[in-house]
Amino acid sequence: MEAPPAGTAAQEAEDEPLLLAELKPGRPQQYDWKASCETWSVAFSPDGTWFAWSQGHCIVKLIPWPLEEAELSCKASERKNRGIKADVRGGGGAKEKTLECGQIVWGLAFSPWPPSGTKERDGLPAPGRSCLILATGLNDGQIKVWEVQTGRLLFSLSGHLDVVRDLSFAPNGSLILVSASRDKTLRIWDLRRDGGSKQVQVLTGHTQWVYCCSISPDCSMLCSAAGEKSAFLWSMRSYTLIRKLEGHQSSVVSCDFSPDSALLVTASYDTCVIMWDPYTGEQLRTLRHVPLPPALDYGGDIHASSLRSVCFSPEGLYLATVADDRLLRIWDLELRTPVAFAPMTNGLCCVYFPHGGFIATGTRDGHVQFWSAPKVLSSLKHSCRKALRTFLTTYQVLALPIPKKMKEFLTYRTF
């Protein structure tokens, strides 16, 4: 009998992901055109109780999670005829909300729950009101910040000169927000600042549109991806450039950190995902998107495998990628190959549910799809590695008086 992978103690059979639900926007008559209908971004709240969907035409849907039982139990639950004001009740009886943003919405980001002791200021509700915040990046360069529970617009952030393509909140609840824009800059915002400007810093250096930004879970690093062959790694303490990560052959368009901050993945139009050690800048492995055998080819004659999006699973053992070859892939990092495929048309973005088991994807048609994903019970070995790497850098691990093989495991040179 073949031994199970070192990273897991138990896992479900890695079959093709099942389409659990598909939500299609029901538009009023004046929105019956194709332009600006794309779902550029989808997001789950950190606690998994809300789902945000930029469904095109300047609208964001805030949907309580989990979806109604009927919606998740059928393969494709369509709400075409329910209208954009329809209510869906999830856990706790919360109601679906519609945010009219006034501009095309490109980026979405939920804040973590603010820490206790924060006072209400500048329109931000105090944590006693269970405040959860959603930031939306718009076509005109503005960022609108909303209170999730009420759907109320709290304030707008101005400064960018072009599309705000992506947003990322610091995971520590500090309400530090990073925005990435087509004006070739990143901006750091402190949403707790009283009055005046909440802008803290402008990061420059990119020569092309900035597509993506991601803050490491330990809040020490920021990665940004632009229409260039390198990704930039910044310090979140000094807001200075640490290094450029060079290795791709075309534009880097997406990036994500592992849950323990020990790994960074970047996806590119060159059809490759590169996994990096962000502390040393070393390339650990490359995942290549190659055409499928004819029997498994869902895309017909199309083999354009340019990457659109990449994200880590919550336990850090899998990746999900969306590419132009009409496929959602799920990768096992130990095996270095896809372990599951699902056919999807015109995919743009993907994100894992914070507690695992689901992946949400957005498409050019304004649809959002929910897919099953492998459910993983991490081995004790991986759980210990993950716990240690949340507070030890690669250099600190290498300095430990432990055997070489253990160092290689702890630094992800081996799985």
Side-chain angles (χ1 to χ4, degrees):
M1 179 181 294
E2 187 177 350
T8 61
Q11 63 189 65
E12 291 188 348
E14 289 157 341
D15 297 324
E16 177 181 304
L18 297 176
L19 180 60
L20 303 175
E22 180 171 10
L23 306 183
K24 300 181 180 182
R27 309 191 196 284
Q29 195 64 36
Q30 65 265 32
Y31 286 148
D32 283 343
W33 60 75
K34 291 283 187 182
S36 73
C37 69
E38 298 91 347
T39 291
W40 291 108
S41 185
V42 292
F44 287 102
S45 63
D47 63 355
T49 60
W50 287 90
F51 178 74
W53 166 25
S54 66
Q55 65 170 220
H57 299 303
C58 314
I59 292 171
V60 171
K61 280 288 191 180
L62 280 171
I63 302 173
W65 192 270
L67 298 179
E68 288 183 328
E69 180 99 11
E71 288 184 285
L72 275 179
S73 61
C74 62
K75 184 175 180 181
S77 174
E78 300 182 13
R79 294 188 295 147
K80 282 184 176 180
N81 301 321
R82 293 174 61 181
I84 65 170
K85 297 296 183 182
D87 286 345
V88 174
R89 294 186 178 271
K95 291 185 177 181
E96 179 182 300
K97 294 171 179 61
T98 300
L99 308 182
E100 301 278 358
C101 296
Q103 292 280 330
I104 297 172
V105 181
W106 292 81
L108 296 171
F110 282 99
S111 74
W113 295 98
S116 59
T118 308
K119 296 180 179 178
E120 182 168 349
R121 56 177 68 182
D122 241 25
L124 276 176
R129 291 180 53 190
S130 299
C131 177
L132 184 64
I133 294 166
L134 178 73
T136 55
L138 307 182
N139 199 63
D140 63 356
Q142 283 200 82
I143 301 165
K144 290 188 176 181
V145 180
W146 310 79
E147 183 181 9
V148 172
Q149 281 73 17
T150 63
R152 177 170 66 103
L153 178 63
L154 298 176
F155 49 80
S156 297
L157 303 173
S158 300
H160 281 297
L161 305 177
D162 208 334
V163 170
V164 177
R165 185 63 185 85
D166 196 22
L167 297 162
S168 181
F169 272 103
N172 61 2
S174 63
L175 294 184
I176 295 295
L177 175 67
V178 177
S179 55
S181 172
R182 283 187 181 176
D183 66 10
K184 305 175 187 177
T185 71
L186 298 115
R187 293 175 191 255
I188 315 293
W189 312 84
D190 184 352
L191 303 194
R192 293 190 181 186
R193 279 193 174 182
D194 287 320
S197 173
K198 299 183 187 297
Q199 183 173 292
V200 175
Q201 191 81 17
V202 179
L203 305 183
T204 60
H206 283 294
T207 59
Q208 302 293 332
W209 294 351
V210 189
Y211 290 116
C212 182
C213 59
S214 179
I215 301 175
S216 62
D218 67 1
C219 299
S220 67
M221 297 171 285
L222 165 69
C223 183
S224 57
E228 303 155 1
K229 296 179 182 179
S230 59
F232 285 19
L233 195 65
W234 310 81
S235 168
M236 282 297 290
R237 298 186 176 96
S238 63
Y239 300 128
T240 55
L241 183 66
I242 299 173
R243 64 172 55 88
K244 295 181 182 180
L245 301 173
E246 298 178 329
H248 284 290
Q249 303 304 310
S250 188
S251 300
V252 184
V253 294
S254 184
C255 57
D256 195 26
F257 283 93
S258 63
D260 58 6
S261 304
L263 298 172
L264 171 69
V265 288
T266 55
S268 167
Y269 287 159
D270 65 7
T271 77
C272 292
V273 172
I274 297 179
M275 187 171 74
W276 311 80
D277 184 323
Y279 295 104
T280 65
E282 181 182 351
Q283 292 186 38
L284 300 182
R285 58 193 59 187
T286 299
L287 309 178
R288 303 184 186 278
H289 287 62
V290 297
L292 291 178
L296 296 175
D297 179 15
Y298 298 109
D301 294 330
I302 296 180
H303 291 302
S305 296
S306 295
L307 273 293
R308 290 288 171 178
S309 184
V310 62
C311 62
F312 266 100
S313 63
E315 80 293 323
L317 292 171
Y318 289 85
L319 291 178
T321 60
V322 169
D324 282 346
D325 61 359
R326 303 179 183 177
L327 286 176
L328 166 69
R329 289 174 171 86
I330 299 176
W331 302 76
D332 184 314
L333 291 184
E334 181 188 18
L335 301 177
R336 306 187 186 205
T337 57
V339 294
F341 302 86
M344 61 173 299
T345 304
N346 296 326
L348 290 175
C349 57
C350 62
V351 64
Y352 266 92
F353 180 60
H355 308 307
F358 301 99
I359 298 171
T361 58
T363 74
R364 288 190 179 276
D365 305 315
H367 301 180
V368 62
Q369 298 165 325
F370 299 97
W371 304 87
S372 62
K375 292 182 179 179
V376 178
L377 177 62
S378 298
S379 68
L380 179 60
K381 194 163 67 168
H382 175 67
S383 297
C384 290
R385 172 172 58 182
K386 185 178 171 183
L388 284 170
R389 290 311 307 271
T390 56
F391 63 89
L392 289 180
T393 69
T394 300
Y395 295 115
Q396 289 171 324
V397 170
L398 295 176
L400 293 174
I402 56 177
K404 180 181 178 182
K405 286 189 176 181
M406 190 174 294
K407 290 180 181 180
E408 290 175 347
F409 177 77
L410 291 176
T411 57
Y412 289 92
R413 271 59 182 177
T414 61
F415 272 76

